[in-house]
Amino acid sequence: MGLPQESLLISNGTLDGPVIRVEQIPGKKGAFLKHVEYEVISQKAQSSRRYNDFVVLHDALLQIFPTRLIPRLPPKKAMGVDEEFLGKRQKALERYMTILGRHPVIGRSGLFQHFLTHSGKDLQTSTKEKFKVEEFFSVNSPEYEHVRPGDWTSHLNEVKDRMINAEMSLQKIREIFEAIYLCSRDQVKNYMALNAELSNLCTTTTSPFVEIVNGIAVARQPYTGILGDVASEIASVTKQWLELANTEDEMFADYLLMMKDLMKGWKDFFARQSKYAADEQRVLEKALNAKKKDGADDIAKTTANAENRIKFSLLCLQQELSFIEGLLGPLVARFLQTLAGNEKRHFGKISNAWQDVEDVSSLLSMSNAMGGVAGLRSEPTAPASPREPHTPLQSPGINGKNPFLEN
């Protein structure tokens, strides 16, 4: 099995920042079962990783960065793993690493760099042993002391409503584009059918446009010949629609799946963020009530810590909003630019193909199906050489699975 093609998001430079590619290494066999390895290629290193290495990285990220946006790790499939599943997971892992690598905090963190560059066989053990401290404890208070929590619940709810609206719009865009993709596939099927029927009308054995010469039925020329040429031009139209459908499949699925990954990551982040802030708010309220009741000095430290953690979480919320805007904004812009350019280019080719159909079809009006040219019948002297039957189009290589239905 060859290495899969890298994501078009990366090869086209859609997302600014360091390039991180994930390529699937041809299958290796362990002591009992065949396992899959991935080559993680960054500007600093090229390392071989197993899926479980990604799992350990993900768990460590959630432990150290509970108030940061972390994309969902592609799932592990215990049974029924096939090449299609592995191909989708490879691309999903590349999107996962792309998002992490462009995060201004996580991408520069010791944990992430350790995953990229560590060359020993103890990656999982060393990751668990070296990286345990939550980000909050390594950040100086001046970075977040300016944050004023205020009514933090209202602030969180406002952000939540905005992101839910964005998620719904992106989902609708995905559904619309799915319909566009299916329409292109249907057009390929329609023009294949038209080509087949025109081919049937101009073949020697089935054409109704015949004349009897010396007791032999002969397909009438030049009418059937021109009709065969029209069928050939329809085949060119079909080819252009096929190219359009496959381009929509291969190119735009990457964009839409990256947007989907970002929104899933945001939903998970927001759920963690809300729980984090709510937990610290309960600690703060409990400490304040105890202080009012008992006047204990040691409670002041707990109160200050809870306040600082709430401030830090809200600072992270502001930073993550900027991060997702910095990724999502250019992604949507490039998606629309690519969509416009792709449709314009392919519909230009389709228009040219239809022009050829029109030009050839105009010759039919100069040929009389029941006689010679311009309605004048010439006396046949000998049977015309039979025209080679026009071969209808075979089923073309339309990508069979709908890429937009991927979970």
Side-chain angles (χ1 to χ4, degrees):
M1 180 187 65
L3 293 178
Q5 181 183 3
E6 68 181 39
S7 169
L8 289 166
L9 296 175
I10 292 178
S11 62
N12 290 347
T14 300
L15 300 176
D16 296 328
V19 172
I20 300 176
R21 301 207 324 265
V22 178
E23 297 180 347
Q24 185 175 311
I25 301 174
K28 297 182 179 180
K29 286 193 175 181
F32 300 101
L33 298 173
K34 178 179 177 180
H35 63 264
V36 178
E37 290 189 3
Y38 300 94
E39 201 76 28
V40 178
I41 305 169
S42 66
Q43 293 175 336
K44 293 185 177 180
Q46 181 170 333
S47 307
S48 177
R49 297 288 182 256
R50 298 277 299 276
Y51 176 78
N52 286 339
D53 296 331
F54 289 93
V55 173
V56 171
L57 168 66
H58 189 73
D59 291 343
L61 288 171
L62 292 174
Q63 177 182 341
I64 297 173
F65 301 104
T67 56
R68 297 294 182 183
L69 191 153
I70 300 170
R72 290 183 187 178
L73 184 68
K76 181 175 184 178
K77 190 174 182 181
M79 301 294 292
V81 173
D82 54 21
E83 293 300 320
E84 181 183 355
F85 170 80
L86 293 176
K88 286 183 177 180
R89 190 169 72 178
Q90 174 265 325
K91 287 189 174 182
L93 286 171
E94 188 164 83
R95 295 194 302 270
Y96 176 82
M97 295 297 292
T98 297
I99 295 173
L100 292 177
R102 283 157 176 73
H103 195 287
V105 176
I106 294 176
R108 298 187 180 96
S109 68
L111 168 60
F112 190 69
Q113 294 303 315
H114 180 73
F115 181 84
L116 292 178
T117 60
H118 187 72
S119 58
K121 296 182 178 181
D122 62 337
L123 174 66
Q124 297 183 23
T125 302
S126 61
T127 298
K128 293 176 183 178
E129 290 178 350
K130 290 183 179 180
F131 304 100
K132 300 178 181 178
V133 180
E134 185 184 326
E135 180 192 10
F136 169 76
F137 296 107
S138 62
V139 176
N140 297 323
S141 60
E143 294 187 31
Y144 55 77
E145 64 182 6
H146 66 282
V147 177
R148 296 291 178 263
D151 187 1
W152 62 270
T153 54
S154 297
H155 185 54
L156 286 178
N157 287 333
E158 179 185 355
V159 172
K160 180 180 179 181
D161 291 341
R162 290 177 180 272
M163 296 310 294
I164 288 176
N165 180 68
E167 182 183 17
M168 291 176 62
S169 291
L170 290 175
Q171 176 60 30
K172 289 178 180 178
I173 290 174
R174 191 162 173 260
E175 292 171 357
I176 291 168
F177 205 81
E178 176 189 343
I180 293 173
Y181 166 73
L182 292 176
C183 178
S184 297
R185 287 183 57 183
D186 287 342
Q187 290 289 62
V188 173
K189 296 175 183 177
N190 291 337
Y191 291 125
M192 281 181 62
L194 177 58
N195 168 269
E197 298 309 320
L198 290 177
S199 299
N200 183 59
L201 289 175
C202 67
T203 55
T204 303
T205 56
T206 60
S207 175
F209 306 114
V210 295
E211 59 182 341
I212 305 300
V213 179
N214 298 328
I216 301 173
V218 178
R220 188 174 297 281
Q221 299 289 349
Y223 190 88
T224 53
I226 297 173
L227 195 59
D229 293 339
V230 173
S232 296
E233 298 301 338
I234 292 293
S236 297
V237 173
T238 307
K239 178 183 176 182
Q240 297 306 326
W241 274 103
L242 176 61
E243 288 184 6
L244 175 61
N246 285 341
T247 302
E248 290 168 345
D249 177 352
E250 296 167 2
M251 183 177 296
F252 298 113
D254 279 339
Y255 287 97
L256 295 171
L257 290 172
M258 175 64 85
M259 294 180 199
K260 185 177 180 180
D261 288 351
L262 280 172
M263 298 313 298
K264 283 183 176 179
W266 175 265
K267 287 181 70 174
D268 294 346
F269 157 75
F270 192 85
R272 290 194 310 273
Q273 178 79 334
S274 299
K275 184 178 184 304
Y276 186 95
D279 289 346
E280 295 305 324
Q281 183 68 23
R282 283 192 291 269
V283 171
L284 177 60
E285 291 173 355
K286 183 177 180 180
L288 289 174
N289 290 334
K291 187 174 182 180
K292 290 179 181 178
K293 182 178 180 181
D294 303 327
D297 294 335
D298 58 344
I299 296 178
K301 184 177 180 180
T302 303
T303 302
N305 183 65
E307 288 178 338
N308 287 337
R309 289 177 76 92
I310 291 174
K311 289 181 179 180
F312 176 71
S313 69
L314 293 178
L315 173 65
C316 289
L317 177 64
Q318 296 171 4
Q319 293 175 341
E320 298 312 289
L321 278 171
S322 297
F323 168 62
I324 196 170
E325 178 185 352
L327 274 183
L328 196 58
L331 192 62
V332 171
R334 186 64 63 87
F335 166 74
L336 294 174
Q337 292 169 4
T338 306
L339 171 62
N342 184 71
E343 301 293 297
K344 180 177 69 175
R345 181 173 60 257
H346 281 89
F347 276 105
K349 292 180 179 180
I350 291 170
S351 177
N352 291 336
W354 275 119
Q355 181 64 55
D356 292 339
V357 173
E358 183 180 14
D359 292 343
V360 176
S361 298
S362 66
L363 299 177
L364 287 174
S365 64
M366 301 171 60
S367 175
N368 190 309
M370 303 305 295
V373 178
L376 299 178
R377 184 181 179 86
S378 59
E379 293 297 328
T381 58
S385 299
R387 175 185 174 85
E388 287 296 323
H390 178 77
T391 304
L393 284 175
Q394 300 301 310
S395 180
I398 304 175
N399 296 333
K401 297 284 186 177
N402 188 336
F404 309 109
L405 298 182
E406 181 179 327
N407 292 326

